[in-house]
Amino acid sequence: MSLRVYNTLSGKKEEFQPLVPGKVGMYVCGVTVYDFCHIGHARANIVFDIVYRYLQYSNYDVTYVRNYTDVDDKIINRANQQGISSKQLAEEFIQAFDEDMEALGLRKPTHEPKATEYIDRIIVLAKQLIEKGMAYESAGDVYYSVEKFPTYLKLSKRNMEEMQAGARIAPGEQKRNPMDFALWKAAKPGEPSWESPWGPGRPGWHIECSAMSSALLGETFDIHGGGRDLIFPHHENEIAQSEGISGKPFVKYWLHNGFVNINQEKMSKSLGNFFTIRDILKSYNPEVVRFFILTAHYRSPVDFSDQNLKEAQAGLSRFYEALQLAAEAVEGVPESEVAAQEGAELEAQFRAAMDDDFNTAQAIGHLFEGVRTINRLVAEKKFRKKADKVASVRALREKIAELGDVLGLFVSDPAGWLKQQNLKGLQALGLTETDLDAAIQERLEARGNKDFARADQIRDELVQKGIELLDSPAGTTWKIK
Ligand code: ZN
């Protein structure tokens, strides 16, 4: 089976055939750098990181471009509030974004251009659109004339008349049609500005993506991604600009990820249910966030809640427990000649799920089956003497780690992960490792004195608190249930 992707433009799944066999050009709209990123940004960036990773895993040579919007009203307003320059504010939040994405384990895109590095090109594109009669100058602003682009709204499938009826021209804007959008804005006092044929000004938002994508990927490229909220007006306007200039299709496949709801409500600052990545990473390992995001299909909405993150944490720990169990179970058993099919089978299932429009939820489900098989095999009597079973566990363990890497998961050392989770759990119970060591020691002494009632009492008290003791010939260890 080959890769199929859901294309917002056609409204259906299509076979993925890049323009140049073996190569993929992909552009994803980046963040406007005026504040810390929230969980919605985390989702969009993780989703397209997975697309990037899976295409690379499928042997495509991918050129991935993700921009920074570093000139915008929000940046200007925030910078003015703080009494610093827009440039300074943007640089601060570019750095913060990079730190967050690194923490979340994202692969670096091939190019990360900034809008302000492409001002000359933006001016050239706006001039071309004016020359073609598709844009017009008006009091130092330049507007795109949407009526001149017959297929406007083909991506969002909105109705032009309905939209026009609801549209208003803002005071100070001298547009011919309320739906027309700015390619260039005349500078207001105190704003950063660049010289242009229309006087000093700065670009509108949409034109920067047409400028950066065509410079780095050409007039037509394979994949354009972003959150659903960007379909209109941003992506619609990118199409109008780019196709208006080139007369060629702008993008072959449009991919959009779904929203993040917070406790089943839309996330917004005014509702106070707004979480930055930094806030979340104070309580959760970044891999938990990634696992949580990937257990849903990228086009579905996800519901972010403490409960759902806790479940993701528990789910991820089950993988680490199985990986650790498998490592211990096969340790010291010599490699045999027995070939195991399980690894290849698991990979085929994983690929089939991912080839179906990057269905990470299903792919993780298949990996989970691998975990169950490991647990079942290792629990068999005299497991270590059964060469075929040992080979199966080895194959599954290696394959789960390899496929996990495609998703950016299971990247920690299993023993270290489990220890960390246990210590966190202990902390939540208000206990320390020293308390637990003392209890284990006391139980050991009680047993030595044949005071089994006391030994059992200690164990039962811990069980009631949610701590399980595991006795083995090597001694007693514990885990959070
Ligand atoms: Zn864009």
Side-chain angles (χ1 to χ4, degrees):
M1 199 174 121
S2 57
L3 175 61
R4 291 168 66 78
V5 300
Y6 182 88
N7 188 353
T8 308
L9 190 61
S10 66
K12 55 183 190 244
K13 281 186 201 167
E14 296 174 21
E15 193 178 335
F16 181 68
Q17 286 182 316
L19 296 159
V20 179
K23 286 185 192 283
V24 177
M26 167 162 127
Y27 186 94
V28 173
C29 297
V31 287
T32 302
V33 281
Y34 76 105
D35 206 346
F36 291 113
C37 286
H38 56 66
I39 182 71
H41 298 120
R43 183 179 197 198
N45 282 287
I46 289 171
V47 161
F48 290 103
D49 181 57
I50 292 302
V51 171
Y52 183 34
R53 282 168 181 264
Y54 187 64
L55 290 170
Q56 288 184 323
Y57 179 70
S58 304
N59 290 320
Y60 286 107
D61 175 10
V62 187
T63 305
Y64 175 19
V65 181
R66 185 186 63 205
N67 71 298
Y68 297 104
T69 296
D70 63 342
V71 56
D72 174 89
D73 286 337
K74 293 192 206 88
I75 298 173
I76 295 166
N77 293 341
R78 183 68 60 92
N80 286 344
Q81 280 166 17
Q82 296 189 6
I84 58 175
S85 72
S86 294
K87 191 174 162 58
Q88 206 178 337
L89 185 89
E91 274 168 11
E92 214 174 280
F93 285 106
I94 285 173
Q95 200 191 332
F97 174 87
D98 289 348
E99 287 166 8
D100 288 350
M101 295 307 125
E102 198 187 328
L104 290 170
L106 268 73
R107 271 187 201 164
K108 273 271 187 203
T110 323
H111 303 284
E112 294 175 279
K114 301 181 185 107
T116 54
E117 296 166 345
Y118 285 80
I119 301 290
D120 291 348
R121 187 174 177 82
I122 287 168
I123 291 171
V124 168
L125 297 189
K127 269 166 81 176
Q128 285 177 350
L129 285 166
I130 292 175
E131 280 158 20
K132 290 190 133 201
M134 304 189 83
Y136 55 93
E137 194 242 325
S138 169
D141 296 336
V142 177
Y143 292 103
Y144 188 100
S145 180
V146 297
E147 284 160 11
K148 299 287 167 59
F149 187 66
T151 56
Y152 191 60
L153 305 178
K154 66 180 168 184
L155 185 69
S156 60
K157 291 151 188 89
R158 293 185 183 214
N159 180 296
M160 185 69 149
E161 276 127 46
E162 281 172 23
M163 300 218 55
Q164 252 165 339
R168 296 282 174 273
I169 297 177
E173 287 184 338
Q174 296 181 28
K175 294 183 190 179
R176 293 178 189 164
N177 179 322
M179 295 286 287
D180 292 350
F181 59 90
L183 302 173
W184 188 262
K185 297 179 180 182
K188 295 184 194 119
E191 286 187 355
S193 65
W194 290 263
E195 282 308 318
S196 82
W198 318 287
R202 62 187 170 92
W205 173 29
H206 316 295
I207 189 74
E208 67 179 62
C209 289
S210 288
M212 290 182 270
S213 63
S214 59
L216 296 163
L217 297 170
E219 288 176 329
T220 305
F221 56 93
D222 300 297
I223 295 176
H224 195 315
R228 288 186 59 138
D229 51 328
L230 296 183
I231 296 174
F232 184 87
H234 185 54
H235 289 164
E236 205 72 76
N237 293 353
E238 283 187 37
I239 294 174
Q241 294 160 164
S242 294
E243 298 192 355
I245 291 164
S246 73
K248 296 174 192 161
F250 175 39
V251 167
K252 211 167 166 193
Y253 306 98
W254 283 93
L255 272 54
H256 293 100
N257 66 275
F259 292 123
V260 177
N261 295 323
I262 311 285
N263 295 317
Q264 293 164 11
E265 276 184 329
K266 194 173 185 297
M267 174 170 61
S268 83
K269 277 190 176 165
S270 56
L271 285 172
N273 59 1
F274 189 84
F275 295 95
T276 66
I277 296 171
R278 284 166 189 233
D279 284 339
I280 297 159
L281 296 187
K282 279 178 198 154
S283 313
Y284 294 96
N285 185 297
E287 216 179 310
V288 172
V289 177
R290 184 179 268 270
F291 187 81
F292 161 70
I293 298 284
L294 298 182
T295 47
H297 189 275
Y298 77 89
R299 284 190 285 121
S300 314
V302 294
D303 191 40
F304 178 88
S305 68
D306 210 36
Q307 182 59 31
N308 287 348
L309 274 191
K310 285 209 169 85
E311 278 168 21
Q313 184 164 291
L316 195 51
S317 286
R318 284 185 64 192
F319 276 97
Y320 277 117
E321 279 167 13
L323 291 172
Q324 179 65 13
L325 181 72
E328 286 168 3
V330 302
E331 201 186 318
V333 183
E335 297 262 358
S336 68
E337 296 296 305
V338 182
Q341 295 300 314
E342 283 86 346
E345 283 168 13
L346 184 59
E347 183 179 321
Q349 290 171 330
F350 178 89
R351 281 183 185 272
M354 292 298 284
D355 279 343
D356 184 13
D357 194 29
F358 309 101
N359 194 336
T360 54
Q362 204 175 71
I364 288 174
H366 291 310
L367 298 181
F368 226 85
E369 287 297 324
V371 161
R372 287 200 190 95
T373 308
I374 287 176
N375 291 340
R376 179 169 53 76
L377 292 174
V378 170
E380 285 187 17
K381 276 189 189 145
K382 300 197 175 130
F383 161 74
R384 289 163 67 90
K385 291 205 165 60
K386 298 172 184 166
D388 57 334
K389 306 278 167 82
V390 169
S392 296
V393 166
R394 278 205 167 104
L396 282 171
R397 179 185 162 223
E398 278 168 25
K399 194 53 78 176
I400 289 172
E402 177 197 316
L403 299 174
D405 189 55
V406 179
L407 303 178
L409 294 172
F410 324 137
V411 292
S412 306
D413 163 56
W417 171 276
L418 295 170
K419 172 113 186 162
Q420 191 204 26
Q421 292 302 314
N422 275 333
L423 289 177
K424 265 192 177 175
L426 209 55
Q427 206 180 9
L429 293 170
L431 293 169
T432 66
E433 220 181 351
T434 318
D435 297 335
L436 220 57
D437 286 345
I440 289 170
Q441 188 58 33
E442 196 195 337
R443 175 166 167 264
L444 196 68
E445 280 164 19
R447 281 173 147 193
N449 299 332
K450 303 219 182 308
D451 183 358
F452 296 112
R454 174 64 189 144
D456 287 350
Q457 189 192 11
I458 293 168
R459 188 198 58 207
D460 294 345
E461 280 170 11
L462 290 174
V463 167
Q464 273 182 3
K465 286 178 181 156
I467 298 160
E468 194 180 349
L469 294 183
L470 307 161
D471 294 314
S472 80
T476 303
T477 53
W478 56 273
K479 72 174 218 177
I480 303 287
K481 284 209 296 179

